[in-house]
Amino acid sequence: MSLRFIPPAAALAAAMAALLPVAGATQTARAADFTVRSVEVPELKGVFGEVKSRTVVPARARIGGTVRAVSVSEGDSVKEGDEIALVVDDKNALTLNAADAKIKELKSQLENARTELDRAQQLLARGVASQARLDTSKTQFDVATNQVTAAEADRAVILQRAREGAVIAPADGRVLTVPVTPGSVVLAGDEIARVASGPYYLRLSLPERHATSIREGGTVRIGERGISQDKAGTPATARPGRIVKVYPEISGGRVMADVEVDGLGTYFVNERTLVWVEIGKRAVLAVPAGAVRTAHGIDYVTLVTARGPLDVPVILGARFPGDDGERVEILTGLKDGDVIATAGR
């Protein structure tokens, strides 16, 4: 058996090449380590917010009468000027007939006055009649003309009153309530429908002890649609909203606040949804959510020690967004300064 001679330089190079993967793995593992530090996070309180419309405009009847037809129902979208109901006053038809008859009578008197005026002018031209008779005939003709004009104006008023039987939508929006049905008798000014025309917002009601913790311009987190925790999600996945108004009066031990948030257009008015409000700050130990693994119902993190990695059981708290992803609070199991391995290790 022959032995091959390997130069010392070549042997050293081979040994270094064999160690390079190990060194690279060590650097990768160190890059995946995370040092646990105490950080301040917002202390959130979950409350229910009610969806409100900035303005709710009533559509009212302009005349009294009987509701002949209703064109909308609760939940319908309407545009400003749309006819949503029709109110009919049966007396309008009778009054209109009387006005037409009056106009015919006055027009007949006007024709007689015109004939008398023409005859007086002819007689005055022949020197048979006096100027006083002509002036009298002209005055009677002017009076008859004015009476016809006044009667036609009265008829126009009756027609306008009939047209005002159409109840129109006062603004764009959604119909909230329609408290009348066809056949109902209403008076002028009665409410036919209520239209939510303003942008939607959230109305919060907080306990009095949190009155000094909220402020205008503060950020809140709004869960997904629904009042259950399963549907609403968590603060980490909630969308942001902004407090635009804090009411200065406390009523019944509650302080009211309004929150502006996008995406409420399809909600029902007075629908409730889960909202998390910041009421202070607290110091917590938090780690990346990916550093936690669960086995047999127990949560673990890998603690980096001088003797090697060590799996440590922990109890988790709330989750919240961090600078580089979701973080989870560690209630017990770690202390400030511990080094753990993230998912990359």
Side-chain angles (χ1 to χ4, degrees), residues 1-5:
M1 179 177 179
S2 60
L3 297 176
R4 182 181 177 184
F5 174 74

Side-chain angles (χ1 to χ4, degrees), residues 17-323:
L19 290 175
L20 281 177
V22 178
T26 302
Q27 290 178 359
T28 302
R30 289 179 180 176
D33 292 344
F34 178 82
T35 302
V36 180
R37 298 295 183 190
S38 177
V39 296
E40 280 194 347
V41 297
E43 185 175 359
L44 303 177
K45 178 178 178 60
V47 297
F48 286 110
E50 286 191 356
V51 178
K52 298 290 186 180
S53 176
R54 187 66 64 185
T55 55
V56 178
V57 186
R60 299 185 182 276
R62 293 178 288 178
I63 65 172
T66 304
V67 178
R68 182 66 55 84
V70 179
S71 307
V72 298
S73 62
E74 291 82 352
D76 290 346
S77 296
V78 295
K79 297 291 185 180
E80 182 179 357
D82 289 349
E83 181 178 323
I84 62 178
L86 179 63
V87 178
V88 176
D89 186 357
D90 295 333
K91 296 189 297 296
N92 283 340
L94 300 176
T95 307
L96 183 61
N97 292 335
D100 290 336
K102 184 67 173 177
I103 290 175
K104 289 181 180 179
E105 175 188 357
L106 293 176
K107 284 185 176 180
S108 297
Q109 296 178 5
L110 178 62
E111 290 299 325
N112 291 334
R114 180 180 290 109
T115 301
E116 289 295 330
L117 178 62
D118 292 341
R119 183 181 296 111
Q121 289 176 342
Q122 293 175 3
L123 293 177
L124 180 63
R126 297 174 185 175
V128 177
S130 64
Q131 183 65 36
R133 181 179 177 180
L134 177 63
D135 294 339
T136 302
S137 299
K138 188 174 185 307
T139 300
Q140 291 176 350
F141 175 77
D142 292 340
V143 170
T145 301
N146 293 334
Q147 287 177 341
V148 171
T149 302
E152 290 176 345
D154 291 340
R155 184 178 185 274
V157 171
I158 298 171
L159 291 175
Q160 178 62 29
R161 186 182 300 116
R163 285 192 291 267
E164 289 179 353
V167 181
I168 60 175
D172 298 350
R174 296 171 65 191
V175 178
L176 298 182
T177 57
V178 184
V180 299
T181 58
S184 302
V185 177
V186 297
L187 300 176
D190 283 355
E191 186 178 279
I192 304 300
R194 292 170 60 243
V195 179
S197 61
Y200 287 179
Y201 66 98
L202 284 176
R203 172 69 55 81
L204 304 182
S205 177
L206 300 173
E208 183 179 350
R209 63 180 179 275
H210 301 311
T212 58
S213 302
I214 60 174
R215 68 186 188 283
E216 292 185 6
T219 301
V220 300
R221 296 173 177 85
I222 295 93
E224 296 298 326
R225 191 172 185 177
I227 59 176
S228 65
Q229 184 71 44
D230 295 337
K231 293 183 178 179
T234 64
T237 59
R239 50 181 169 160
R242 185 171 61 91
I243 298 177
V244 295
K245 188 177 185 62
V246 178
Y247 290 88
E249 182 181 11
I250 295 178
S251 177
R254 314 288 291 184
V255 59
M256 312 299 291
D258 293 344
V259 175
E260 280 187 354
V261 58
D262 296 330
L264 296 179
T266 59
Y267 281 60
F268 295 104
V269 176
N270 295 331
E271 180 179 350
R272 295 192 300 166
T273 188
L274 193 57
V275 180
W276 289 274
V277 183
E278 180 179 337
I279 59 174
K281 293 184 179 295
R282 58 192 179 94
V284 300
L285 297 177
V287 301
V292 181
R293 63 183 181 86
T294 303
H296 306 292
I298 302 176
D299 298 315
Y300 294 92
V301 297
T302 302
L303 184 65
V304 178
T305 67
R307 298 181 180 180
L310 176 64
D311 288 340
V312 177
V314 294
I315 297 179
L316 305 182
R319 294 176 179 263
F320 53 90
D323 296 335

